[in-house]
Amino acid sequence: MHSDIDLQLRRILTDVLGLKPGQAETFDAETGLFGHLPELDSMAVAGLLTEMEDRLDILIEDDEIDGELLETYGSLLAFAEAKRAEA
Amino acid sequence: MTPQTWPCPLPGGETAQEYALAFDKERTGRLLIVPALFDEANRMRRLTVETMRRLDAAGIDSMLPDLPGTNESLQPLLGQTIDGWKTAVRSAVSHFGATHVLGVRGGCLLVPDMLPGWLYAPVRGANILRQMMRARILVSREIGREESRSELVSLAETGGITLAGYDLGADLFAGLNALEPTASSDLTAIEQETVGGSGLWMRAEPSESANQADALAATIAIGIRQ
């Protein structure tokens, strides 16, 4: 069972990356994001983070964004869940 | 569909011939579309033009003008202002004899309030800039330079700034930062839920959707025929 944030994050990645329905379902904690998906350039990352802010109702500081955050699906989800817990 | 030019007033008082894509058969329903801005203009172009094709099939004329400094325009983006763009849009409305207007994303900031029409997925100017500043901060960080948003804002407000490849003058930055989508009882917002699927402006790679173009065109065609 995925948590609500997990489901929403998969939906956001589907929308931003234009994934086929169900494709994000196959993501696990180890699935590589930044550096593995060529379409995820800096403009796309900026769009992804803005979309996460809007839909998860969180605020992401620019200095919180680093390579590790976007390295895997697991790290991005952990970040989103920690941010939600703060909100 | 034909490319046309239209006389566009510039901030300095001169006039430039700007390009517009038009389905113009001198029909009674005539929609002027104010395109999305900056990077989103590229990502929304295909959907916008596909919507125009469907409106044409439904018996409605539509025009998609370039604002000075955008798309095919020969004018530099640097030096354009919000007031200048609003004047350009009003001038296009009158040149093409539009009966209705449609703003797409950032274009909703520039739609005039003098005609009935629609705001598709309107966005605040500050949100457009926030995302562009974030992209710049990320790129700078990759090359080992730390920039903060407050530094970028003060840089932009004093001498202008280049964000995601776009040269924004201090006036355009400040104007955009304060701008909200046009409010008028004659303008109806079209939210993404109405169109279905996910908004194409957020796609990392430009994409298209026949279903979304169908839904957008249907909403507009029904409104114009009423």
Side-chain angles (χ1 to χ4, degrees), chain B residues 107-141:
Chain B
C108 299
L109 303 164
L110 304 169
V111 162
D113 60 4
M114 63 203 201
L115 286 176
W118 296 267
L119 305 174
Y120 172 43
V123 58
R124 296 170 56 223
N127 283 13
I128 296 176
L129 290 175
R130 191 165 63 114
Q131 190 164 328
M132 291 169 84
M133 283 191 280
R134 177 169 271 166
R136 168 158 164 164
I137 290 168
L138 292 174
V139 170
S140 297
R141 188 167 297 159

Side-chain angles (χ1 to χ4, degrees), chain B residues 12-183:
Chain B
E14 292 167 8
T15 302
Q17 289 298 315
E18 294 294 359
Y19 169 86
L21 210 52
F23 286 88
D24 188 352
K25 297 175 186 162
E26 297 178 14
R27 291 171 286 195
T28 50
R30 299 174 63 76
L31 180 76
L32 187 104
I33 304 175
V34 187
L37 298 175
F38 311 118
D39 219 49
E40 290 189 355
N42 302 325
R43 285 178 258 164
M44 298 307 281
R45 184 94 184 161
R46 173 93 179 150
L47 178 69
T48 305
V49 175
E50 283 300 304
T51 303
M52 293 171 74
R53 287 185 202 282
R54 285 157 174 76
L55 289 171
D56 178 51
I60 292 164
D61 283 350
S62 60
M63 286 71 64
L64 179 66
D66 285 353
L67 298 172
T70 72
N71 200 39
E72 303 291 341
S73 173
L74 298 175
Q75 302 301 315
L77 177 59
L78 196 66
Q80 304 304 325
T81 62
I82 292 299
D83 283 347
W85 276 351
K86 285 185 169 178
T87 304
V89 171
R90 280 196 298 273
S91 170
V93 161
S94 118
H95 175 80
F96 290 107
T99 58
H100 295 76
V101 286
L102 166 69
V104 179
R105 293 288 289 164
C108 299
L109 303 164
L110 304 169
V111 162
D113 60 4
M114 63 203 201
L115 286 176
W118 296 267
L119 305 174
Y120 172 43
V123 58
R124 296 170 56 223
N127 283 13
I128 296 176
L129 290 175
R130 191 165 63 114
Q131 190 164 328
M132 291 169 84
M133 283 191 280
R134 177 169 271 166
R136 168 158 164 164
I137 290 168
L138 292 174
V139 170
S140 297
R141 188 167 297 159
E142 278 171 37
I143 57 169
R145 196 174 66 212
E146 281 298 319
E147 291 179 319
S148 74
R149 201 175 305 187
S150 56
E151 275 169 23
L152 293 185
V153 170
S154 61
L155 192 69
E157 286 175 344
T158 47
I161 192 169
T162 302
L163 294 176
Y166 294 93
D167 291 327
L168 309 178
D171 283 352
L172 186 65
F173 183 91
L176 205 51
N177 208 15
L179 207 56
E180 301 279 338
T182 307

Side-chain angles (χ1 to χ4, degrees), chain A residues 41-86:
Chain A
D41 60 12
S42 58
M43 195 64 204
V45 169
L48 171 66
L49 297 170
T50 306
E51 212 45 42
M52 283 172 61
E53 286 183 323
D54 290 349
R55 292 206 233 168
L56 301 175
D57 197 20
I58 57 176
L59 202 65
I60 303 170
E61 300 297 334
D62 293 318
D63 58 14
E64 293 174 314
I65 309 162
D66 57 26
E68 277 172 34
L69 168 62
L70 287 148
E71 201 175 326
T72 61
Y73 180 72
S75 59
L76 189 62
L77 178 60
F79 173 78
E81 284 174 334
K83 275 280 161 189
R84 260 315 293 167
E86 278 173 32

